[in-house]
């Protein structure tokens, strides 16, 4: 299983972190190790040696068939379910890595950093580019977004990634986060909503 993630795919998030509203020339792709996956119901143990850890709520897409060099017009055939996930990020480490021109392997791919919610079949939802989602932290909404605001659509991302990687059944695609990212602390409870359905619950310990 491969875990792909997209950076800088929402304008407002780009503004809050990078002071720009511009669309990247190509999708910004990074990967997470398979050991980063944190399945539903499992707690997240906040590491004490990595500095600030931020939540980033995202719509996650599940790949359902083998594909390579997929044309954008056929990309919708390659995923069958979505959910809300969290791309947990060691923010201090990311800033240092970015400043030094180094990769994000550790700050984005550490164990437990790819939190996943319960899957919802696409047939039960509006169009994939019209999904509303939000994240609550301790009962307060801290992030909300709509997939219609993405710079690069799900189908465009799949077409792009499949130029370089063979997609396989079970691979995951984190599609980017809207504005409102912030730190997690021990004792926090995070809940992710897709439309009006709660699909993610996470306790930080």
């Amino acid at each position: 299983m491969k875990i792909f993630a997209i950076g800088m795919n929402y304008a407002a998030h780009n503004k809050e972190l990078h002071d720009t509203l511009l669309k990247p020339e190509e999708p910004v792709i990074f990967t997470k190790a398979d050991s980063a996956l944190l399945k539903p119901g499992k707690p997240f143990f906040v590491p004490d040696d990595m500095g600030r850890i931020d939540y980033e709520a995202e719509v996650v897409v599940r790949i359902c068939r083998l594909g390579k060099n997929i044309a954008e017009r056929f990309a919708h055939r390659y995923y069958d379910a979505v959910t809300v996930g969290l791309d947990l990020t060691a923010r201090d480490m990311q800033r240092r890595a970015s400043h030094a021109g180094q990769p994000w392997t550790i700050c984005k791919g550490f164990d437990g950093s790819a939190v996943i919610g319960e899957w919802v079949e696409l047939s039960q939802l509006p169009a994939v580019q019209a999904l509303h989602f939000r994240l609550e932290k301790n009962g307060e909404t801290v992030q909300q977004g709509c997939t219609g605001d993405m710079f690069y659509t799900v189908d465009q991302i799949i077409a792009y990634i499949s130029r370089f990687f063979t997609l396989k059944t079970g691979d995951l695609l984190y599609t980017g986060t809207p504005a409102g990212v912030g730190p997690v602390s021990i004792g926090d409870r995070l809940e992710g909503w897709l439309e009006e359905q709660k699909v993610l619950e996470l306790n930080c310990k």
Side-chain angles (χ1 to χ4, degrees):
M1 181 195 69
K2 300 184 292 298
I3 303 173
F4 298 99
I6 313 303
M8 301 176 65
N9 206 25
Y10 286 83
H13 175 59
N14 295 357
K15 182 67 175 178
E16 71 179 350
L17 286 190
H18 307 289
D19 199 30
T20 179
L21 294 172
L22 298 179
K23 178 180 180 179
E25 293 184 4
E26 295 179 326
V28 177
I29 309 295
F30 60 93
T31 61
K32 290 174 175 274
D34 57 4
S35 61
L37 189 65
L38 190 64
K39 295 181 179 180
K42 300 293 185 180
F44 174 66
F45 292 94
V46 181
D48 57 8
D49 60 348
M50 296 181 68
R52 170 171 161 166
I53 305 296
D54 278 5
Y55 56 78
E56 296 188 7
E58 314 197 2
V59 169
V60 184
V61 174
R62 183 177 69 190
I63 301 300
C64 65
R65 61 190 295 189
L66 184 72
K68 173 70 175 176
N69 289 321
I70 301 164
E72 182 182 336
R73 66 183 183 276
F74 298 131
H76 66 278
R77 301 178 182 177
Y78 288 82
Y79 53 96
D80 62 354
V82 297
T83 189
V84 172
L86 299 176
D87 167 22
L88 296 177
T89 302
R91 190 68 71 200
D92 296 333
M93 295 181 69
Q94 184 190 34
R95 289 182 177 129
R96 290 196 298 270
S98 296
H99 182 73
Q102 297 173 349
W104 294 352
T105 306
I106 295 176
C107 64
K108 286 285 193 178
F110 62 92
D111 286 356
S113 63
V115 183
I116 199 76
E118 300 287 349
W119 294 108
V120 181
E121 299 295 324
L122 287 175
S123 59
Q124 302 176 30
L125 293 166
V128 73
Q129 293 304 147
L131 297 175
H132 294 84
F133 62 103
R134 72 180 189 273
L135 180 70
E136 295 181 0
K137 176 183 174 182
N138 302 324
E140 178 182 353
T141 298
V142 289
Q143 282 189 283
Q144 51 189 344
C146 176
T147 54
D149 295 330
M150 290 179 178
F151 280 142
Y152 290 98
T153 68
V154 172
D155 290 357
Q156 289 171 336
I157 294 166
I158 287 175
Y160 181 80
I161 289 176
S162 69
R163 290 168 50 192
F164 311 101
F165 300 91
T166 298
L167 296 180
K168 296 183 178 181
T169 300
D171 287 349
L172 305 181
L173 173 59
Y174 284 67
T175 59
T177 193
V181 302
V184 298
S185 302
I186 293 173
D188 284 344
R189 180 176 176 82
L190 301 173
E191 297 177 319
W193 297 75
L194 186 61
E195 295 296 324
E196 293 305 315
Q197 181 176 347
K198 183 164 68 173
V199 295
L200 180 147
E201 296 183 2
L202 179 69
N203 292 311
C204 298
K205 297 186 176 180

